[in-house]
Each structure stands twice: as structure tokens, then as C-alpha cells.
């Protein structure tokens, strides 16, 4: 069995090529040689070097995950209202092709890392620039009729904005800069925080807010475990104390957030029936 799994983002397309259990991973830009954003040709140029039986794609929404059509108007303009599925079918007309929402893929990847949680209800947090959230009920990710994780916790109202404005990487950078620092990225902020108590306190407060949010979510939709990943989880040692000061729910940090959505797509391909891994709710 030959599988190509893609995780399509706004700058790079990450991939994993499986030949049975042997895997090769890497990434390539969404731009062409001239620097113009061009996902269709980036994919075509990549695909011509492979032979596959199955293709799985983790894709941000809004997206028609059944028919493979993108409705994102805020990034990846080269595929807006285009049929991405046809790009794959041009080269591999007989391959099985599956698209799933990136947060669903990440949630399933978290489940594949800890399969014993299939018998429980758990939450999955994706700490990136924004806050991704997934809820899994006995092995199935709760999704909307558009097959996106539901609810979208990060965009829920909170104070004078939305939750992700106070819990994600963007919140850390914003709060630090409001305090007089000049950071672009959490990574550089975390390095300075090792010897700066003022910055440590910002991490503490954001961690605490995230813990309060998870306590509130547990009241609405009970769960007994949390899986935490995403790029900002790399600075969890700075967020941990604040989070644990208010949230006593058992949790673990995902080992490899880069492979997590890829593993999730592969799990969905293996299950072969979306009823086995999705639970659509009436909004």
C-alpha cells in the first residue's frame, strides 16, 4: 500500500509518503519558482514523482470536504472555489482520495497517539497562532454539518474579544508587546522569559486563562482527559504552572505536533468510513 498524506497550510505543504510502514516526510512551498502562490501547480509538480494507492489531505476550512472544493477567501487564493480533488484525479484517477478538516485531523492524530482514550471523552487543544479545539466522544470527533470541529471554541466571545485572543501564541506576543517588549514570535519571547520574571508572569496568566477555559468547557461537554499540541506547546514549561493552578484535568503533551495531523488522516483512511471517526451534530 502506497499512501501520500498532506497537511496543507498557508505557507508550506507538509507531506508523508508511506510505503506500507516505511515513511518519508518533508515539505514544499505553496508558491511557484517565481514566488507566486500556486497550490495546484505546486501539487502537480510534486505528485509526478510518486505512485500512490491512497491520498489523504488535512485542509483548513471553509472547505467542501466531500467534493474537494475550497471556499477559503482569506488565504490560498489559487484554490478558492477550485476543485482540489480534480488535481489529484488528473494524475491518479484510481486512487482513493480523502479530505478532512485540519483540526479533525489533529484530533484524530492525538487519538492515534493514545488509543486507550477511544473509550473516553477527551478534548484536544491545538496551540498555534490561534486556538484550535477538538472534542472526541468515544473515538469520534464532534463536527458541524460542514465537517469542521464543533464548537469553534477559539472564536467564542471572551472579555473584549474572543478566547484565542487570550490563550494562543498571538496572545502571548501581544501581551508582551503591550508591556513594552518587541517580539514577533513566541520562541524568542520564551528564551527571554527564562530570566525575565515579567515575561514569566505573562506566560503564567495565559496558561491560567487556558485552564479556566478548559474548566468551563468541561461543564458544557464533560471530558476526562486533554491532549495538548501545536507549535506553542513547545513552550508548555512556561504555561504549565498557570494552567495547573486552576485546571486539575489530566492531560498530556502530544509528542510530535508536525506528524499529528498526518497520523490523523492516516487513521481516517484506515477506518474507511467517516461514521467511525466523525459525529455530526445539529448546530
Amino acid at each position: 500500500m502506497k499512501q501520500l498524506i498532506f497537511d496543507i497550510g498557508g505557507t508550506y505543504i507538509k507531506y508523508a509518503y508511506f510505503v506500507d510502514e516505511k515513511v518519508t516526510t518533508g515539505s514544499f512551498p505553496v508558491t511557484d519558482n517565481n514566488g507566486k502562490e500556486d497550490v495546484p501547480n505546486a501539487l502537480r509538480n510534486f505528485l509526478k514523482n510518486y505512485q500512490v494507492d491512497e491520498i489523504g489531505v488535512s485542509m483548513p476550512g471553509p472547505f467542501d470536504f466531500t467534493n474537494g472544493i475550497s471556499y477559503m477567501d482569506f488565504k490560498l487564493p489559487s484554490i478558492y472555489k477550485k476543485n482540489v480533488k480534480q488535481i489529484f484525479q488528473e494524475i491518479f484517477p484510481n486512487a482513493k482520495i480523502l479530505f478532512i478538516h485540519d483540526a479533525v485531523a489533529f484530533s484524530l492524530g492525538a487519538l492515534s497517539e493514545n488509543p486507550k482514550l477511544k473509550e473516553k471523552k477527551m478534548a484536544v487543544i491545538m496551540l498555534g497562532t490561534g486556538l484550535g479545539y477538538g472534542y472526541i466522544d468515544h473515538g469520534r470527533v464532534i463536527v458541524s454539518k460542514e465537517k469542521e470541529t464543533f464548537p469553534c471554541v477559539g472564536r467564542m466571545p471572551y472579555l473584549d474579544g474572543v478566547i484565542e485572543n487570550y490563550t494562543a501564541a498571538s496572545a502571548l506576543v501581544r501581551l508582551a508587546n503591550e508591556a513594552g517588549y518587541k517580539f514577533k514570535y513566541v520562541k524568542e519571547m520564551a528564551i527571554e522569559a527564562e530570566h525575565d520574571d515579567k515575561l514569566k508572569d505573562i506566560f503564567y496568566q495565559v496558561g491560567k486563562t487556558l485552564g479556566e477555559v478548559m474548566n468551563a468547557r468541561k461543564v458544557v461537554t464533560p471530558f476526562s482527559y486533554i491532549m495538548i499540541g501545536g507549535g506553542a506547546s513547545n513552550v508548555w514549561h512556561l504555561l504549565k504552572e498557570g494552567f495547573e493552578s486552576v485546571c486539575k484535568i489530566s492531560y498530556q503533551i502530544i509528542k510530535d505536533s508536525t506528524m499529528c495531523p498526518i497520523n490523523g488522516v492516516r487513521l481516517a483512511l484506515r477506518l474507511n468510513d467517516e461514521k467511525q471517526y466523525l459525529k455530526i451534530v445539529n448546530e
Side-chain angles (χ1 to χ4, degrees):
M1 175 71 73
K2 297 180 176 69
Q3 296 174 312
L4 263 174
I5 313 294
F6 296 98
D7 180 17
I8 298 183
T11 306
Y12 284 91
I13 298 174
K14 298 170 186 171
Y15 71 89
Y17 181 55
F18 293 88
V19 180
D20 297 323
E21 293 307 311
K22 184 178 179 180
V23 61
T24 303
T25 63
S27 65
F28 55 95
V30 298
T31 54
D32 61 20
N33 292 333
N34 298 316
K36 180 182 178 182
E37 191 268 326
D38 189 352
V39 172
N41 282 325
L43 284 171
R44 289 187 184 102
N45 290 334
F46 178 83
L47 290 168
K48 64 186 180 183
N49 299 311
Y50 292 86
Q51 294 181 336
V52 298
D53 303 300
E54 296 183 340
I55 296 171
V57 185
S58 165
M59 176 74 73
F63 192 88
D64 181 339
F65 294 97
T66 300
N67 298 304
I69 301 170
S70 172
Y71 291 102
M72 285 180 284
D73 58 3
F74 54 91
K75 63 179 177 180
L76 301 178
S78 65
I79 57 171
Y80 180 55
K81 292 188 176 179
K82 302 283 180 64
N83 193 314
V84 183
K85 190 174 187 177
Q86 286 181 351
I87 297 170
F88 297 113
Q89 290 174 326
E90 289 170 12
I91 303 171
F92 302 112
N94 298 317
K96 176 183 176 180
I97 302 169
L98 174 70
F99 294 89
I100 63 175
H101 186 245
D102 54 2
V104 172
F106 198 94
S107 298
L108 288 172
L111 182 62
S112 70
E113 187 170 302
N114 197 342
K116 66 182 181 182
L117 294 174
K118 186 176 180 180
E119 303 305 318
K120 300 180 181 292
K121 295 181 179 182
M122 75 168 182
V124 181
I125 300 173
M126 292 141 276
L127 286 174
T129 303
L131 177 73
Y133 177 84
Y135 181 72
I136 299 180
D137 184 354
H138 291 81
R140 296 197 292 167
V141 184
I142 305 301
V143 296
S144 64
K145 62 181 183 296
E146 292 81 17
K147 299 180 183 177
E148 300 182 7
T149 49
F150 182 84
C152 184
V153 170
R155 303 304 298 171
M156 287 181 171
Y158 187 81
L159 298 180
D160 60 350
V162 295
I163 285 174
E164 68 182 10
N165 291 348
Y166 295 88
T167 56
S170 57
L172 288 163
V173 172
R174 174 179 58 80
L175 290 170
N177 292 343
E178 286 175 358
Y181 298 88
K182 295 184 186 288
F183 294 114
K184 288 185 178 180
Y185 306 106
V186 168
K187 185 176 180 180
E188 57 182 335
M189 181 180 166
I191 293 171
E192 291 296 317
E194 298 295 346
H195 52 79
D196 187 322
D197 288 342
K198 194 173 181 180
L199 286 174
K200 281 181 182 176
D201 187 61
I202 291 172
F203 279 98
Y204 180 93
Q205 293 302 325
V206 169
K208 182 179 179 182
T209 300
L210 181 63
E212 290 169 346
V213 167
M214 296 312 295
N215 285 339
R217 290 310 311 163
K218 185 179 179 182
V219 172
V220 179
T221 48
F223 50 84
S224 58
Y225 207 79
I226 307 171
M227 298 283 283
I228 302 171
S233 68
N234 293 327
V235 298
W236 184 255
H237 61 290
L238 293 165
L239 296 164
K240 177 180 178 179
E241 186 178 352
F243 182 87
E244 292 182 353
S245 71
V246 294
C247 184
K248 308 305 179 184
I249 306 167
S250 298
Y251 73 89
Q252 74 181 72
I253 304 300
I254 290 166
K255 294 174 185 176
D256 187 345
S257 288
T258 299
M259 283 298 293
C260 190
I262 287 171
N263 291 335
V265 175
R266 200 168 185 230
L267 174 60
L269 281 168
R270 186 165 69 248
L271 292 172
N272 198 39
D273 178 359
E274 68 177 27
K275 292 180 181 178
Q276 297 294 314
Y277 60 86
L278 295 182
K279 183 177 181 180
I280 299 174
V281 298
N282 294 320
E283 301 175 35

